[in-house]
Amino acid sequence: MAPGRLDTWSQWQREVLDEALAKLTQRNDVSASFAERARRLAQQFAADLDRAPAALLHADLGDREVFVDPSTGGVTALVDWGAALVGDPLYDLARFVGGGPADDPRPAQLNPVLRERYFARNPQDPAHADRMLLFYRFHICIVEAAWEPAWAPAHTAWADKLTAELS
């Protein structure tokens, strides 16, 4: 998506999703009915997305963007801010603990600890946060499937499962 200004967080989510779905349908990685279900789900979440707190997001946060001092375990830098935008901080949490190949074992190891520490500092309704994290995971699956063709089968299957859970 070209840099620019969007009026709402849900608008960004939908535009990025639309671009990814267009690429996936063009490559025949997903059916038109899958794409339509995904778009409907994004529309269903629009109000929740737009009520989310606004913060500066990295939006492509992964372990390669976080520099850590090995002697202290403290974060010394976050790099590669080329995708930065304003949106819900839960998106960066979902991206950090779940971006990458579907069979990556690290998210299962990182998620419980990062989640606990995140919510200790940012208390919120657990049911709502869980639902939003699932939606963001769905969104990230679609985007990564479009970005990395080799990941498309596993990521679109994962997104399809999440669509069923979220609908």
Side-chain angles (χ1 to χ4, degrees):
M1 186 164 74
R5 175 179 158 74
L6 299 174
D7 293 326
T8 65
W9 178 231
S10 66
Q11 187 179 3
W12 179 83
Q13 292 283 327
R14 287 191 312 265
E15 286 195 18
V16 168
L17 190 72
D18 281 344
E19 283 182 21
L21 289 167
K23 188 179 283 189
L24 290 167
T25 54
Q26 184 180 24
R27 289 192 326 228
N28 292 317
D29 289 331
V30 300
S31 67
S33 64
F34 175 94
E36 185 53 37
R37 282 193 321 275
R39 287 184 180 100
R40 275 197 312 269
L41 184 62
Q43 186 59 43
Q44 290 169 2
F45 270 79
D48 285 326
L49 291 165
D50 292 338
R51 281 192 298 269
L56 178 63
L57 304 182
H58 186 281
D60 190 24
L61 196 58
D63 59 358
R64 293 181 182 183
E65 289 79 28
V66 180
F67 289 19
V68 176
D69 181 337
S71 64
T72 66
V75 174
T76 60
L78 296 176
V79 299
D80 188 11
W81 285 85
L85 58 110
V86 174
D88 183 356
L90 285 175
Y91 185 82
D92 266 354
L93 179 63
R95 177 84 178 105
F96 186 75
V97 299
D103 60 354
D104 187 343
R106 293 172 302 165
Q109 297 163 349
L110 288 171
N111 198 352
V113 174
L114 288 175
R115 179 186 169 78
E116 178 184 330
R117 291 186 180 168
Y118 180 88
F119 289 117
R121 290 180 170 214
N122 303 286
Q124 50 192 283
D125 173 48
H128 178 74
D130 285 342
R131 187 162 166 75
M132 295 310 294
L133 286 167
L134 283 176
F135 175 79
Y136 293 141
R137 178 67 259 159
F138 154 80
H139 188 271
I140 292 164
C141 280
I142 299 293
V143 171
E144 287 186 342
W147 171 66
E148 181 58 59
W151 296 354
H155 273 57
T156 55
W158 192 0
D160 196 38
K161 180 179 177 251
L162 291 168
T163 302
E165 287 179 44
L166 290 164
S167 296

